[in-house]
Amino acid sequence: MESTEKKRGRVAVVVLGDIGRSPRMQYHALSLAEQENLLVDIVANGATIKQNFTLFHFLCSSLCTGSDPHVSIREHHSIRIYQMGSVHLKGLSKISSALALVVKAAIQFVILVWFLCVKIARPDAFIVQNPPSVPTLAAVKLSSWLRRSKFIIDWHNFGYTLLGLSHGRNHIIVKTYHWFESYFGRMADGSLCVTKAMQHELAENWEIKATVLYDQPPEFFHPTSMKEKHELFCRLKNDICPPNGAFDCIHTRNEKSFCFEASNELDHPSDSLFTSQVGNDIFLKPNRPALVVSSTSWTPDEDFSILLQAALMYDRRVSGVLGEDDSIAEEKLWLDIRKGEQLYPRLLFIITGKGPEKAKYEQQIKKLKLRRVAFRTMWLSAEDYPLLLGSADLGVSLHTSSSGLDLPMKVVDMFGCGLPVCAASYSCIKELVKVEKNGLLFSSPSELADEFMMLFKGFPDKCESLKSLKDGALATSSSSKWSTEWETHAMPLISEVSFSSNVQLRILFNKPSS
């Protein structure tokens, strides 16, 4: 008698990157395992890389570690994660960047084919994230042919447009990448994409028929309860108020003044910057700062200087409205805040994420002279990130898309937690952000600063515009979830492509043991 496991279908989810920073592919894996009762193998860069590819060790400076996926992925009995190392060729790059790109792609190709053809069991289908396109699409196509499996691409963006940010659209490398991406893209047995605009582009100019699967938040993105907020802010105390000698409106010079609002509150370890607990009752402090959250990969398609300029403008404009000048005593400013006399609140920006331009922007932040605004950069676990979104007052997205055809996943997550958003405006963003219903759009730092002034006036109790947007975000959150969107749009395509030559999915799952 065959085992139940052998009778179940199997799908491989492929990400040539950090699975912890690929939420959409994580959600695919969960849906395949839970909604379709499939066995799922994730092949991606993992959080703990133990393999040592000695053949290439003389070329590789390091094997980078990734980020943990959500606990529901890590602990699922039907999901197995296969971890690959990221190839870095710093030594060779100093000699020739073009040669380093070719060698890196060749090494990645060999490693990826090894995992897909040898390390994992034969799947019925491969679902691969694009981008990156090189060498991923060729490696997965070859593996699907060798293993007689189906090949499905989930188009998140176009790789050649991302490469064009650093090299220019007319560069020979970008043109070659474009040809590679379109050639192997047409070889897929099925395609998913993230917007109607991308679907149109693929159909008209790439001859690829794709099904639109809008990003939606999974169930663990939801509004945060008061208890969860309090516990989160208590856990983040050291990150929000670091004893590193840097002083701002959250962490002050005056030891008799505030770190968490007032020095006498430091005697109450159960208090946080935003919340207080008295017995079993937890409440938000009336003179708390407004919390603004943004997440980023710190890449060139997100210009964070826009947010820094907008924060500086907010700071200056509030001083102007209140008739303050640079000579106002810090003690008076803090006394007004402590009394709750805030026509406009302090703003605390928490920026989450990892990426190549993080250090550059952190240096710019240090040079800003701000009185009512503070910044913190941090990396949160997959479990704490949704709690932070559900605890914030406003989200900001600076994603503008290299192609203009994809949508920011961070905004989807924010709406899932009932968090309204100010988003950078570009061609298809209105497929997601409904202006003056669940968010606002901006095209310049000045527009973003205007939105901060309008939304936060009278915070926390008399800011009706902000409350209206929050209601709209909550309505967006309740209207659809990932599981519903996936079952309606992705499941029929995957079932048809992957299992049409065998027994249909439903028959396969219900077939009695022989």
Side-chain angles (χ1 to χ4, degrees):
M1 182 182 294
E2 293 181 333
S3 68
T4 302
E5 181 169 306
K6 288 183 179 180
K7 288 183 178 295
R8 293 170 65 186
R10 182 183 292 270
V11 173
V13 175
V14 184
V15 180
L16 189 60
D18 186 349
I19 185 61
R21 296 162 68 186
S22 303
R24 182 175 166 103
M25 302 310 286
Q26 292 184 56
Y27 306 159
H28 271 307
L30 269 181
S31 292
L32 289 163
E34 294 184 349
Q35 293 174 249
E36 286 302 287
N37 193 34
L38 298 173
L39 296 169
V40 181
D41 296 318
I42 297 177
V43 179
N45 292 349
T48 307
I49 307 299
K50 296 182 179 179
Q51 294 91 340
N52 183 16
F53 301 102
T54 54
L55 176 63
F56 306 116
H57 185 66
F58 73 100
L59 286 173
C60 303
S61 62
S62 64
L63 294 174
C64 289
T65 59
S67 310
D68 280 323
H70 194 271
V71 64
S72 59
I73 301 285
R74 302 196 304 268
E75 298 181 357
H76 201 288
H77 65 279
S78 295
I79 299 176
R80 185 174 179 183
I81 301 176
Y82 291 82
Q83 302 171 342
M84 301 184 297
S86 298
V87 179
H88 287 256
L89 306 172
K90 292 182 180 179
L92 190 58
S93 296
K94 294 178 180 178
I95 300 173
S96 171
S97 59
L99 179 60
L101 287 174
V102 173
V103 173
K104 178 179 179 179
I107 295 173
Q108 289 176 325
F109 181 88
V110 172
I111 293 172
L112 192 52
V113 171
W114 169 261
F115 269 82
L116 300 184
C117 291
V118 179
K119 296 283 286 183
I120 67 172
R122 189 192 80 82
D124 296 285
F126 294 100
I127 300 179
V128 58
Q129 170 185 290
N130 184 77
S133 313
V134 179
T136 321
L137 299 186
V140 177
K141 177 57 186 176
L142 175 61
S143 301
S144 68
W145 177 74
L146 291 172
R147 307 207 75 174
R148 293 175 290 114
S149 304
K150 297 299 182 179
F151 172 32
I152 300 172
I153 299 176
D154 189 15
W155 296 85
H156 297 194
N157 198 351
F158 294 132
Y160 83 95
T161 61
L162 289 169
L163 192 63
L165 293 175
S166 55
H167 291 79
R169 288 287 183 93
N170 295 321
H171 196 284
I172 184 62
I173 292 178
V174 177
K175 290 182 177 180
T176 303
Y177 200 109
H178 185 192
W179 172 86
F180 182 100
E181 190 170 20
S182 60
Y183 178 79
F184 284 99
R186 287 191 292 271
M187 290 187 173
D189 298 297
S191 290
L192 298 164
C193 64
V194 294
T195 64
K196 291 180 180 178
M198 183 175 289
Q199 180 189 47
H200 180 77
E201 172 69 14
L202 287 169
E204 292 296 314
N205 299 318
W206 297 55
E207 298 178 0
I208 294 172
K209 182 181 178 181
T211 298
V212 177
L213 174 64
Y214 280 121
D215 284 319
Q216 297 289 350
E219 281 64 23
F220 46 79
F221 281 88
H222 54 75
T224 307
S225 69
M226 189 63 70
K227 184 174 183 292
E228 289 173 324
K229 289 180 183 181
H230 183 67
E231 291 174 349
L232 174 70
F233 291 135
C234 286
R235 286 199 300 276
L236 296 180
K237 271 188 178 182
N238 291 335
D239 295 305
I240 292 176
C241 190
N244 59 2
F247 302 104
D248 54 30
C249 65
I250 304 301
H251 184 206
T252 70
R253 283 184 183 80
N254 188 344
E255 294 181 359
K256 294 181 180 180
S257 185
F258 293 79
C259 179
F260 291 98
E261 296 305 317
S263 59
N264 63 341
E265 291 188 358
L266 297 177
D267 297 328
H268 302 280
S270 63
D271 276 9
S272 75
L273 174 63
F274 298 93
T275 57
S276 288
Q277 181 170 5
V278 179
N280 293 325
D281 295 329
I282 301 172
F283 57 90
L284 291 169
K285 295 180 177 179
N287 57 351
R288 67 188 183 277
L291 177 57
V292 184
V293 174
S294 185
S295 61
T296 179
S297 297
W298 299 104
T299 50
D301 62 341
E302 293 187 337
D303 183 1
F304 255 78
S305 65
I306 293 174
L307 181 59
L308 302 189
Q309 293 175 52
L312 183 62
M313 289 177 183
Y314 173 86
D315 197 69
R316 299 295 185 265
R317 289 177 186 178
V318 171
S319 292
V321 168
L322 300 180
E324 299 174 351
D325 56 39
D326 293 339
S327 64
I328 185 175
E330 185 179 87
E331 289 77 6
K332 182 183 184 304
L333 176 64
W334 285 100
L335 183 61
D336 291 343
I337 291 173
R338 186 174 181 181
K339 290 178 179 178
E341 297 175 0
Q342 310 176 77
L343 179 61
Y344 293 95
R346 293 169 293 160
L347 300 186
L348 173 60
F349 291 90
I350 293 183
I351 315 299
T352 71
K354 299 176 181 178
E357 297 196 338
K358 180 179 179 181
K360 179 184 81 172
Y361 283 112
E362 286 179 329
Q363 289 301 314
Q364 292 182 22
I365 290 170
K366 288 180 181 178
K367 296 177 182 178
L368 295 176
K369 295 181 179 180
L370 302 167
R371 306 184 70 169
R372 283 183 170 80
V373 179
F375 283 87
R376 299 290 184 268
T377 59
M378 60 181 71
W379 175 258
L380 297 177
S381 69
E383 292 71 45
D384 277 349
Y385 177 61
L387 296 178
L388 178 66
L389 296 186
S391 303
D393 300 297
L394 182 68
V396 172
S397 170
L398 293 157
H399 178 83
T400 53
S401 175
S402 61
S403 65
L405 299 174
D406 69 315
L407 296 172
M409 185 71 188
K410 72 193 76 179
V411 174
V412 175
D413 293 339
M414 289 170 182
F415 287 160
C417 296
L419 181 64
V421 172
C422 290
S425 181
Y426 62 96
S427 57
C428 68
I429 189 64
K430 289 184 180 179
E431 287 190 42
L432 177 61
V433 178
K434 309 305 179 185
V435 177
E436 295 185 356
K437 291 184 179 180
N438 56 19
L440 300 173
L441 301 179
F442 61 87
S443 300
S444 67
S446 182
E447 284 186 41
L448 182 56
D450 288 341
E451 291 169 1
F452 290 157
M453 295 289 289
M454 184 264 291
L455 293 174
F456 289 120
K457 183 177 181 180
F459 182 86
D461 297 323
K462 299 178 181 179
C463 42
E464 296 306 318
S465 295
L466 182 62
K467 291 177 181 178
S468 175
L469 291 184
K470 186 173 183 64
D471 290 340
L474 286 168
T476 302
S477 168
S478 62
S479 63
S480 183
K481 287 293 184 183
W482 169 268
S483 58
T484 305
E485 187 79 8
W486 191 90
E487 186 171 354
T488 302
H489 300 286
M491 187 176 74
L493 172 70
I494 294 169
S495 300
E496 178 184 356
V497 167
S498 305
F499 299 94
S500 58
S501 60
N502 302 313
V503 185
Q504 289 297 323
L505 271 172
R506 300 302 181 189
I507 299 175
L508 179 66
F509 295 153
N510 296 322
K511 180 181 176 181
S513 299
S514 57

